[in-house]
Amino acid sequence: MLWIEQAETMYDLSRVKPGDLIYARHDTWDSGRGGFVTSATEKQLTVQYHPGIGNVTNHFHIPVAEAVGGQWEIRWSADMSEVFSYNMSSKKGPESETGEVPEIGEMEGTKESDEIGGIDL
């Protein structure tokens, strides 16, 4: 045969894609960094973030081998209506962190929730 068939770990590009918001923490970092995915391949995610210096942006990469190896804690969302997480250190799979979204009439301070349309302070 001209090829070898073998199982290979790769990112599921139907779940994470460029433009998604992401928070990631490498196990060597004290805290994580929030940004957005600028590139997603089967082998690596590239994240752009603001390092807190004026008009500057920076990037970090999340190789799939490091993620599978338990070196990353990752949370991501396409539109903030549903947030997924993958805590590699505990070997958990992606979990949705969304709760129920209240209806507009149930939200505090909306016109429907107040008889006269004002907000009680």
Side-chain angles (χ1 to χ4, degrees):
M1 265 200 204
L2 295 176
W3 62 87
I4 299 172
E5 291 185 27
Q6 61 186 13
E8 188 175 10
T9 303
M10 58 187 72
Y11 283 113
D12 181 352
L13 299 179
S14 69
R15 295 186 57 95
V16 62
K17 51 191 142 312
D20 286 359
L21 300 171
I22 191 167
Y23 171 87
R25 187 185 71 78
H26 191 268
D27 64 359
T28 60
W29 299 350
D30 291 334
S31 62
R33 296 182 179 136
F36 59 94
V37 177
T38 58
S39 173
T41 67
E42 293 172 340
K43 296 290 185 188
Q44 178 174 278
L45 299 177
T46 301
V47 178
Q48 182 175 349
Y49 70 98
H50 183 266
I53 304 170
N55 192 20
V56 174
T57 60
N58 207 345
H59 292 81
F60 62 89
H61 304 281
I62 307 174
V64 72
E66 288 183 8
V68 171
Q71 298 179 30
W72 290 91
E73 174 185 319
I74 305 169
R75 283 182 238 132
W76 75 97
S77 177
D79 58 6
M80 295 303 291
S81 66
E82 189 169 26
V83 176
F84 297 97
S85 67
Y86 199 92
N87 186 344
M88 300 299 189
S89 60
S90 64
K91 302 295 185 200
K92 290 183 179 179
E95 299 174 355
S96 173
E97 292 183 351
T98 59
E100 290 186 27
V101 178
E103 296 295 322
I104 290 177
E106 298 171 359
M107 294 172 63
E108 186 176 322
T110 62
K111 190 171 185 176
E112 289 115 12
S113 68
D114 194 323
E115 292 177 9
I116 60 171
I119 298 173
D120 293 333
L121 299 177

